[in-house]
Amino acid sequence: MSWLILVVAGLLEVVWAVGLKYTHGFSRLVPSVITAVAMIASVALLSWAMKTLPVGTAYAVWTGIGAVGAAITGIILLGESASVARIASLVLIVAGIIGLKLSTH
């Protein structure tokens, strides 16, 4: 159950990371509220997952999901670069996340 909670926390990190782009420095109300709620929920769920998961693993997986998710969202929604080097780097992050999951007892 902790892993599922951690994945949801990571997905919420994607929401707030991308949401920051749409807040325009927190000057737009609706995107700012959505972003703030996603931030709070993401950190709360991360904390909950850390009750049973190692802190280093949980934090690395959370940030990895957020980083990869934000980068993919940037490529799809914002027209950011999808160069071979960028995609290869994202694959390496995913490989690291999988490695951490497999090495956790």
Side-chain angles (χ1 to χ4, degrees), residues 4-105:
L4 178 61
I5 291 166
L6 184 61
V7 168
V8 172
L11 294 174
L12 285 169
E13 185 184 8
V14 175
V15 171
W16 70 256
V18 174
L20 286 172
K21 177 86 170 165
Y22 292 98
T23 67
H24 289 263
F26 288 100
S27 65
R28 296 167 123 186
L29 180 61
V30 173
S32 296
V33 169
I34 291 168
T35 300
V37 168
M39 284 177 171
I40 292 166
S42 179
V43 172
L45 290 175
L46 171 63
S47 175
W48 189 3
M50 283 185 178
K51 287 181 182 180
T52 57
L53 297 175
V55 71
T57 300
Y59 185 74
V61 170
W62 179 69
T63 57
I65 292 169
V68 170
I72 290 171
T73 302
I75 291 167
I76 293 170
L77 293 181
L78 305 172
E80 295 177 359
S81 169
S83 68
V84 172
R86 191 163 191 213
I87 300 300
S89 297
L90 293 173
V91 169
L92 290 172
I93 294 170
V94 171
I97 292 169
I98 292 168
L100 286 169
K101 164 64 172 112
L102 294 176
S103 67
T104 301
H105 296 89

